[in-house]
Amino acid sequence: MIGAMRERVVAACDGASKGNPGPAGWAWVVADASEAPARWEAGPLGRATNNVAELTALERLLASTDPDVPLEVRMDSQYAMKAVTTWLPGWKRNGWKTAAGKPVANQELVVRIDELLDGRSVEFRYVPAHQVDGDRLNDFADRAASQAATVQEPAGSGLGSPEPPPAPAVPAARKAPRRGPGTARKGGGASARTIKAKFPGRCVCGRSYAAGESIAKNDQGWGHPECRTAAAG
C-alpha cells in the first residue's frame, strides 16, 4: 500500500469565482517527495461564491487522499481555514448555528468536511496567495481552480490534462506609478507596481488579501496583481 510507505502527504487546494458569485471552480494538488505537483484534479461549480469554491476544494482533497496518512494542507483562503480550524467546533456544539444563532453558511459542505476530518491527522498551513516566490503547490491549485472556473470543464492528472496555464501576464503600466501609502482605496489607473499590503482588505474580484501580501492598484482600488488585468482592460 502506497500510504504505508509515506510518512506525510503535502497538498494544496484552492477555489475561484469569477464575480463572487459567478462562474466558479475548485482544485487540489498532491505533491511528490520533492514537493513538486504530482497528482491533481479540478472541476467546475457553475455559479457559486468564492467561499463555496474554497470549501469544495478542501472537501474534494480530503475525499481523494488516504485518511490513514498524515496530511499537510496549504491554503490561501483564511475563511476556509478558519471555518475548519477555529469556528467549526463551536458551530458543531451549537447545532450548526453561529454565535448569533443563525444557521452556519455553507453548512452541508462544512458538515461533510467535519466528517472527513474525523480521526485524521491533518495540519492546515496558511500561505499568502499570488507571491512572486510563493508556494509552488498553492500557485498550481490557484491556476487550476481559475481555469476550471473560466472554462467550466473538469481537468486533472487522471484525465491526462496538461498543467494549468500561468496567470495572465501583467500589462504595461498606463500611468506613472503613484507613490501612495499602499492601503488607499481611491480610484486611479492600473499600475505595474506591486507593494505589500499594510492591512487586510478585499480585492475587486471578491477575494480578500492579508496584511503583507503583494497587491497592485487597479481602476477600483487595490487588489491581487493579476486582477488588475481585467480592471485595466
Side-chain angles (χ1 to χ4, degrees):
M1 180 178 170
I2 294 177
M5 296 165 55
R6 301 191 64 178
E7 295 181 2
R8 181 184 63 150
V9 169
V10 178
C13 60
D14 205 357
S17 174
K18 308 297 183 180
N20 196 31
W26 56 269
W28 57 258
V29 56
V30 171
D32 61 17
S34 64
E35 296 199 0
R39 184 167 66 94
W40 64 284
E41 187 177 354
L45 282 171
R47 182 178 172 84
T49 64
N50 278 318
N51 289 346
V52 166
E54 301 278 9
L55 289 173
T56 300
L58 176 58
E59 186 266 333
R60 300 296 173 90
L61 170 62
L62 293 172
S64 301
T65 47
D66 187 343
D68 294 327
V69 181
L71 179 67
E72 176 186 310
V73 181
R74 299 177 184 177
M75 309 175 72
D76 63 28
S77 168
Q78 295 200 44
Y79 162 77
M81 181 172 286
K82 286 183 178 178
V84 298
T85 62
T86 304
W87 304 325
L88 192 151
W91 289 341
K92 199 172 179 179
R93 284 195 302 271
N94 292 340
W96 301 108
K97 295 286 200 315
T98 66
K102 296 181 179 180
V104 170
N106 310 313
Q107 179 179 322
E108 198 172 304
L109 275 168
V110 175
V111 171
R112 173 68 175 146
I113 289 168
D114 180 49
E115 292 170 350
L116 287 165
L117 287 171
D118 187 40
R120 291 183 68 159
S121 172
V122 181
E123 175 190 352
F124 291 91
R125 181 177 157 200
Y126 175 75
V127 290
H130 317 306
Q131 302 294 297
V132 174
D133 295 313
D135 184 80
R136 183 177 178 184
L137 294 177
N138 176 255
D139 175 67
F140 190 103
D142 180 86
R143 289 184 287 119
S146 181
Q147 181 186 41
T150 301
V151 303
Q152 288 295 298
E153 292 180 1
S157 51
L159 298 174
S161 305
E163 181 173 321
V170 175
R174 295 187 177 185
K175 294 185 180 180
R178 293 174 60 184
R179 300 290 174 181
T183 52
R185 297 180 178 274
K186 297 176 183 176
S191 163
R193 188 170 63 102
T194 61
I195 61 171
K196 300 292 185 184
K198 292 183 179 179
F199 305 99
R202 187 169 295 276
C203 177
V204 65
C205 74
R207 295 176 65 182
S208 60
Y209 55 82
E213 278 193 50
S214 293
I215 56 173
K217 193 93 177 248
N218 60 49
D219 289 338
Q220 298 181 45
W222 292 87
H224 303 126
E226 74 276 13
C227 293
R228 66 185 158 193
T229 305

mmCIF file of all heavy atoms in Angstrom, residues 8 28 48 68 76 92 165 190 193 195:
data_model
loop_
_atom_site.group_PDB
_atom_site.id
_atom_site.type_symbol
_atom_site.label_atom_id
_atom_site.label_comp_id
_atom_site.label_asym_id
_atom_site.label_seq_id
_atom_site.Cartn_x
_atom_site.Cartn_y
_atom_site.Cartn_z
ATOM 1 N N ARG A 8 4.018 11.376 5.355
ATOM 2 C CA ARG A 8 3.137 12.534 5.285
ATOM 3 C C ARG A 8 2.886 12.898 3.836
ATOM 4 O O ARG A 8 3.770 12.775 2.996
ATOM 5 C CB ARG A 8 3.795 13.717 5.999
ATOM 6 C CG ARG A 8 2.952 14.977 6.012
ATOM 7 C CD ARG A 8 3.715 16.125 6.642
ATOM 8 N NE ARG A 8 4.903 16.470 5.868
ATOM 9 C CZ ARG A 8 5.421 17.704 5.808
ATOM 10 N NH1 ARG A 8 4.873 18.680 6.478
ATOM 11 N NH2 ARG A 8 6.498 17.944 5.085
ATOM 12 N N TRP A 28 -7.410 20.789 -6.376
ATOM 13 C CA TRP A 28 -6.456 20.350 -5.360
ATOM 14 C C TRP A 28 -5.260 19.716 -6.069
ATOM 15 O O TRP A 28 -5.375 19.270 -7.204
ATOM 16 C CB TRP A 28 -7.080 19.380 -4.356
ATOM 17 C CG TRP A 28 -7.691 18.124 -4.937
ATOM 18 C CD1 TRP A 28 -9.031 17.882 -5.143
ATOM 19 C CD2 TRP A 28 -7.015 16.930 -5.368
ATOM 20 N NE1 TRP A 28 -9.218 16.638 -5.684
ATOM 21 C CE2 TRP A 28 -8.003 16.025 -5.826
ATOM 22 C CE3 TRP A 28 -5.679 16.551 -5.424
ATOM 23 C CZ2 TRP A 28 -7.679 14.759 -6.328
ATOM 24 C CZ3 TRP A 28 -5.355 15.282 -5.932
ATOM 25 C CH2 TRP A 28 -6.356 14.407 -6.362
ATOM 26 N N ALA A 48 -21.266 30.071 -8.331
ATOM 27 C CA ALA A 48 -21.102 29.902 -6.886
ATOM 28 C C ALA A 48 -20.211 31.014 -6.346
ATOM 29 O O ALA A 48 -19.607 31.775 -7.103
ATOM 30 C CB ALA A 48 -20.491 28.536 -6.578
ATOM 31 N N ASP A 68 -5.503 7.415 6.337
ATOM 32 C CA ASP A 68 -4.554 6.832 7.287
ATOM 33 C C ASP A 68 -3.176 7.500 7.235
ATOM 34 O O ASP A 68 -2.308 7.179 8.047
ATOM 35 C CB ASP A 68 -4.388 5.334 7.012
ATOM 36 C CG ASP A 68 -5.672 4.562 7.276
ATOM 37 O OD1 ASP A 68 -6.415 4.965 8.194
ATOM 38 O OD2 ASP A 68 -5.938 3.580 6.562
ATOM 39 N N ASP A 76 -4.723 29.380 0.719
ATOM 40 C CA ASP A 76 -4.622 30.835 0.812
ATOM 41 C C ASP A 76 -5.958 31.462 1.214
ATOM 42 O O ASP A 76 -6.090 32.683 1.244
ATOM 43 C CB ASP A 76 -4.116 31.443 -0.504
ATOM 44 C CG ASP A 76 -5.055 31.206 -1.685
ATOM 45 O OD1 ASP A 76 -6.271 31.075 -1.482
ATOM 46 O OD2 ASP A 76 -4.568 31.151 -2.829
ATOM 47 N N LYS A 92 -20.464 23.242 15.752
ATOM 48 C CA LYS A 92 -20.941 21.878 15.999
ATOM 49 C C LYS A 92 -21.648 21.798 17.352
ATOM 50 O O LYS A 92 -22.728 21.207 17.477
ATOM 51 C CB LYS A 92 -19.752 20.920 15.941
ATOM 52 C CG LYS A 92 -20.118 19.469 15.737
ATOM 53 C CD LYS A 92 -18.839 18.663 15.505
ATOM 54 C CE LYS A 92 -19.155 17.199 15.309
ATOM 55 N NZ LYS A 92 -17.924 16.419 15.055
ATOM 56 N N PRO A 165 -2.660 26.722 -17.170
ATOM 57 C CA PRO A 165 -1.884 27.838 -17.734
ATOM 58 C C PRO A 165 -1.463 28.820 -16.659
ATOM 59 O O PRO A 165 -2.091 28.898 -15.593
ATOM 60 C CB PRO A 165 -2.867 28.489 -18.720
ATOM 61 C CG PRO A 165 -4.221 28.137 -18.186
ATOM 62 C CD PRO A 165 -4.065 26.763 -17.598
ATOM 63 N N ALA A 190 -4.407 51.691 -13.656
ATOM 64 C CA ALA A 190 -3.679 50.494 -13.250
ATOM 65 C C ALA A 190 -2.184 50.769 -13.302
ATOM 66 O O ALA A 190 -1.705 51.481 -14.165
ATOM 67 C CB ALA A 190 -4.026 49.332 -14.179
ATOM 68 N N ARG A 193 3.236 48.441 -10.622
ATOM 69 C CA ARG A 193 3.951 48.338 -9.361
ATOM 70 C C ARG A 193 3.146 47.525 -8.351
ATOM 71 O O ARG A 193 1.946 47.712 -8.200
ATOM 72 C CB ARG A 193 4.193 49.739 -8.812
ATOM 73 C CG ARG A 193 5.102 49.796 -7.599
ATOM 74 C CD ARG A 193 5.455 51.242 -7.319
ATOM 75 N NE ARG A 193 4.263 52.024 -6.991
ATOM 76 C CZ ARG A 193 3.928 52.368 -5.753
ATOM 77 N NH1 ARG A 193 4.669 51.988 -4.740
ATOM 78 N NH2 ARG A 193 2.862 53.102 -5.530
ATOM 79 N N ILE A 195 3.021 46.315 -4.199
ATOM 80 C CA ILE A 195 3.519 46.660 -2.875
ATOM 81 C C ILE A 195 2.979 45.656 -1.879
ATOM 82 O O ILE A 195 2.117 44.843 -2.214
ATOM 83 C CB ILE A 195 3.077 48.090 -2.472
ATOM 84 C CG1 ILE A 195 1.546 48.169 -2.441
ATOM 85 C CG2 ILE A 195 3.660 49.140 -3.397
ATOM 86 C CD1 ILE A 195 1.036 49.458 -1.850
#
